[in-house]
Amino acid sequence: MRLAPTRISILLMLATMIFMATFISCGDDDTTPPTPPTQQEPDKPNKEEQPKEEEEEEEELCDTNNNITKVVFPIHRNAALSNTVTIYPDENNVFTERVFANKNLDGHTFLMPSVLTKLYIEFESDASTIYINGVEFKPGSAYDFSEPTTITACADTGTEKTYTLVLKNFTGLPIMYINTASGQEVKDKDNYEDATIEIIGTEELPGLEKMNMQIHGRGNSSWDTFKKKPSYTFSLSEKKKLLGMPKHKKWVLISNYRDKTLLRNNVAWWISSRLSGIKYTPRFYHVELILNGRHRGVYQLVEQVRIDDDRVNINEMQPTDTEGEAITGGYIIELDRGSDADQWGWALPYLQGSSHRANIKKPKIDESNQAQHDYIKNYLFKVDELLGTSDDMEYVMEKYIDMPSWAAQWLVFELSGTPEPNGPNSWYTFKDKNDDKWYCGPPWDFDYRSYLPDTANSWVSKNYVYQPQMRRYAPYKEILIQQWKEIEPLLPELINYINEQREYMRHSAEANWFIHEQNLIDDNRRENGDEFIASDSAIDRMIEYLEKKWEFVSKNIQSLQ
């Protein structure tokens, strides 16, 4: 039978479709249906065992539901905080952050440790349950975070992950607590008042357990003028290391009230510590001072200038040292206008300056040791006269002057630009037992009219503290140049140090000037010229000064007459 062409075409199309379906079904491995269940070897799972593997995978996935990706302390729930605090965990599952108290809280600024004892927290987490120090977290409840806190995040399956939360209510500096026995302000700079002291340290700087001490005010201008942030001297009931500094009883708290950078002393002592001519540079750290429960701002905890193996390392005299070798030293002499009693301070005729006065700081001179008084007075007047009148400068300089220390100390003051040597003021010197030489050190007090841009291109104190007389002796001039060459290449290192300190003290500077900036402005004293600019800008100004001063000294020290 002969088929019509149309019917043949239809049959060919059907045959092609059947062939293609068969080819696809057999050739695509991804769509091959599973082999029907048969009797299999015991170690080969059959089709009925597959759902069990899927359940195990789901359980492992569920175990990851114990993550905390961030914690938040919202300002709308925590009015005691200065701002909303959001913290993310580090690679060790530790949340850590500095938090600060609301600046507007009456009587407090930034530092108020009690702010950590009642805070409301929120979590961003996929955990089913969260525990804070073993207690189940309930939204809307306040918790105590004053100590490192353990936070546990649990999944539905019972697995858990542990985090640590560390809140720090401080600027990063050690915190010093001083409480006077009277509970009142320290009002006397001549008589000690009983008190207690405690220091909360940092990871790098050890603290101090609460102990007894005595405190009084200190300084001349810093005490008489800056009543709202005075400086202090204190004496511990026994020798202790403070923040790792060598053990001693006597310490100083410098307010740096008029120093907008809070770094003027730092920079001078950094320079001093790198000059071989300086025998001793005071050690120091910045602290937050809380006096009688009130935050007073940033203070500089400094070693007081005392005779000690770790400070001014000379012989310490006794009242009975009144003759022979015993009476020859050691003495600490400060060239300063001072306000000390006449019997232990004198004006030296050839010491240039507005006050040209020498004060005996150690030993304490009174009527009971008139012999020591007479000895050191005669020594100073003799050296002063020789420096002022002698034509034999070799004899004077080689016998009586420790040239490296006088050159180095003058250089520290000159590089800072302060006019203190022109008094002179705060110019420490000493004389040791069985040694005719007069030594300089340690450098002290650089917060006054220092690092001023308009003094960067000139000598500030070239004609004071016997410098013109000493430079008449060529070997002294050579020693001065040698001391400069020690510090000259270190300017980049110094600038790095300043910037590191800027960052380290950023929060503390903010807190300090929140308390004291208006007081500084109201006092209407403009010695440093940076009273109306931000702390950061004042530091930039200091760096600019140092760069110019370095260039000036480098170009001109050889021709200094």
Side-chain angles (χ1 to χ4, degrees):
M1 179 178 63
R2 186 176 179 181
L3 295 175
T6 301
R7 294 181 65 185
I8 293 172
S9 298
I10 293 172
L11 290 172
L12 286 171
M13 290 176 63
L14 289 172
T16 302
M17 291 173 66
I18 291 170
F19 171 79
M20 291 298 295
T22 303
F23 175 81
I24 293 171
S25 174
C26 297
D28 190 348
D29 291 338
D30 292 336
T31 59
T32 303
T35 304
T38 58
Q39 188 66 35
Q40 303 200 19
E41 299 294 332
D43 59 345
K44 295 182 180 179
N46 59 25
K47 182 178 180 181
E48 293 177 349
E49 291 175 319
Q50 295 302 314
K52 185 176 180 180
E53 290 183 0
E54 294 174 0
E55 289 175 3
E56 289 175 353
E57 290 177 1
E58 290 178 2
E59 184 175 326
E60 291 176 0
L61 181 62
C62 185
D63 289 348
T64 65
N65 295 341
N66 50 20
N67 297 300
I68 300 176
T69 52
K70 71 179 178 181
V71 299
V72 180
F73 295 89
I75 187 65
H76 71 274
R77 298 299 309 278
N78 296 286
L81 295 181
S82 61
N83 57 278
T84 292
V85 177
T86 301
I87 319 172
Y88 299 90
D90 63 16
E91 64 275 10
N92 298 314
N93 294 330
V94 177
F95 295 88
T96 183
E97 187 60 89
R98 297 175 184 173
V99 298
F100 301 106
N102 190 327
K103 301 179 193 178
N104 299 317
L105 293 176
D106 186 31
H108 297 281
T109 303
F110 285 95
L111 290 179
M112 191 171 70
S114 62
V115 74
L116 302 181
T117 62
K118 188 178 180 181
L119 289 176
Y120 295 89
I121 187 172
E122 297 176 356
F123 297 93
E124 182 177 273
S125 175
D126 57 9
S128 60
T129 311
I130 293 175
Y131 294 87
I132 298 177
N133 285 336
V135 177
E136 184 176 348
F137 165 68
K138 296 185 181 304
S141 297
Y143 295 88
D144 183 351
F145 296 101
S146 59
E147 299 291 338
T149 303
T150 299
I151 298 176
T152 307
C154 298
D156 291 330
T157 60
T159 60
E160 61 184 41
K161 183 182 290 186
T162 300
Y163 298 83
T164 302
L165 172 62
V166 181
L167 295 185
K168 304 176 182 179
N169 174 231
F170 74 124
T171 62
L173 301 186
I175 304 175
M176 177 180 288
Y177 294 89
I178 294 177
N179 291 290
T180 61
S182 66
Q184 303 299 312
E185 298 295 313
V186 178
K187 297 180 179 179
D188 195 332
K189 78 167 190 172
D190 297 315
N191 299 297
Y192 276 112
E193 178 176 354
D194 290 337
T196 61
I197 182 174
E198 180 183 4
I199 300 177
I200 308 301
T202 66
E203 292 180 2
E204 298 81 15
L205 302 174
L208 176 73
E209 293 185 359
K210 186 175 181 180
M211 66 179 296
N212 293 325
M213 50 96 85
Q214 292 183 312
I215 187 170
H216 65 69
R218 74 168 303 277
N220 292 315
S221 60
S222 60
W223 178 258
D224 298 329
T225 306
F226 305 132
K227 296 292 187 181
K228 294 176 182 177
K229 194 188 180 191
S231 296
Y232 304 101
T233 296
F234 66 87
S235 178
L236 302 175
S237 58
E238 60 180 295
K239 289 185 177 182
K240 290 285 186 181
K241 289 184 176 182
L242 296 189
L243 302 177
M245 292 182 283
K247 186 182 296 186
H248 209 282
K249 292 175 69 173
K250 305 291 186 179
W251 303 84
V252 170
L253 283 169
I254 299 176
S255 69
N256 291 318
Y257 181 84
R258 57 188 166 193
D259 180 5
K260 201 62 177 290
T261 70
L262 298 175
L263 297 176
R264 281 177 158 85
N265 281 328
N266 291 45
V267 171
W269 285 330
W270 189 96
I271 294 170
S272 168
S273 68
R274 284 154 178 79
L275 291 175
S276 62
I278 300 294
K279 307 298 182 184
Y280 160 64
T281 298
R283 302 170 187 87
F284 65 89
Y285 286 103
H286 292 280
V287 300
E288 302 287 356
L289 177 62
I290 298 181
L291 177 60
N292 291 331
R294 287 184 54 209
H295 180 210
R296 308 306 175 98
V298 181
Y299 275 72
Q300 203 162 19
L301 173 65
V302 188
E303 294 174 322
Q304 189 182 29
V305 179
R306 308 286 290 197
I307 296 174
D308 185 85
D309 290 349
D310 293 308
R311 298 188 184 182
V312 181
N313 189 12
I314 59 176
N315 177 61
E316 186 161 16
M317 299 180 70
Q318 303 301 319
T320 55
D321 295 333
T322 58
E323 59 185 4
E325 293 181 353
I327 201 173
T328 62
Y331 297 90
I332 295 179
I333 306 122
E334 182 184 14
L335 306 183
D336 192 279
R337 66 185 184 277
S339 57
D340 301 314
D342 289 339
Q343 72 267 18
W344 55 294
W346 316 276
L348 299 177
Y350 295 97
L351 176 62
Q352 310 91 332
S354 57
S355 61
H356 53 89
R357 179 182 174 88
N359 299 305
I360 310 308
K361 307 300 286 186
K362 290 293 174 183
K364 184 176 181 180
I365 302 291
D366 57 29
E367 293 80 2
S368 67
N369 53 9
Q370 184 68 34
Q372 294 175 359
H373 167 281
D374 293 342
Y375 172 84
I376 192 61
K377 178 180 180 181
N378 292 335
Y379 170 86
L380 290 172
F381 272 85
K382 178 180 180 179
V383 177
D384 175 75
E385 183 177 8
L386 287 170
L387 284 169
T389 64
S390 178
D391 292 328
D392 189 355
M393 290 307 295
E394 179 180 1
Y395 167 77
V396 178
M397 297 294 287
E398 295 293 344
K399 181 172 179 58
Y400 290 107
I401 300 300
D402 179 68
M403 291 185 282
S405 65
W406 278 85
Q409 180 149 301
W410 179 82
L411 188 59
V412 174
F413 276 89
E414 183 63 41
L415 290 174
S416 77
T418 178
E420 292 285 40
N422 303 1
N425 299 306
S426 303
W427 186 277
Y428 277 98
T429 67
F430 60 89
K431 181 193 180 301
D432 203 359
K433 181 180 178 180
N434 292 333
D435 188 346
D436 286 334
K437 290 188 182 295
W438 192 7
Y439 294 80
C440 271
W444 190 268
D445 197 4
F446 297 90
D447 69 333
Y448 172 69
R449 292 179 62 187
S450 52
Y451 311 98
L452 304 182
D454 60 358
T455 66
N457 294 311
S458 63
W459 299 112
V460 176
S461 301
K462 72 174 184 176
N463 295 323
Y464 296 93
V465 287
Y466 301 116
Q467 289 303 300
Q469 296 95 317
M470 291 183 179
R471 288 196 301 269
R472 286 165 50 198
Y473 184 50
Y476 176 77
K477 176 77 174 294
E478 293 171 5
I479 290 172
L480 177 61
I481 293 172
Q482 178 267 327
Q483 292 293 302
W484 164 245
K485 290 186 179 299
E486 289 182 3
I487 196 66
E488 183 181 19
L490 302 184
L491 179 61
E493 186 179 340
L494 173 56
I495 292 174
N496 286 339
Y497 168 76
I498 293 171
N499 284 323
E500 288 171 359
Q501 290 296 299
R502 180 210 304 258
E503 293 307 315
Y504 173 59
M505 295 181 62
R506 183 170 297 281
H507 295 301
S508 56
E510 181 183 357
N512 182 81
W513 294 117
F514 178 82
I515 300 171
H516 295 293
E517 186 162 33
Q518 191 59 48
N519 297 334
L520 181 62
I521 293 171
D522 291 345
D523 282 336
N524 198 33
R525 297 172 68 93
R526 304 290 180 265
E527 290 101 341
N528 290 325
D530 54 11
E531 290 81 4
F532 291 98
I533 63 177
S535 180
D536 253 344
S537 299
I539 293 172
D540 290 338
R541 180 175 176 261
M542 170 189 277
I543 292 173
E544 181 182 355
Y545 161 86
L546 288 168
E547 291 172 336
K548 291 180 179 178
K549 189 70 173 185
W550 242 252
E551 182 179 1
F552 171 80
V553 174
S554 181
K555 289 180 179 179
N556 293 282
I557 195 167
Q558 294 284 351
S559 60
L560 180 62
Q561 300 298 319

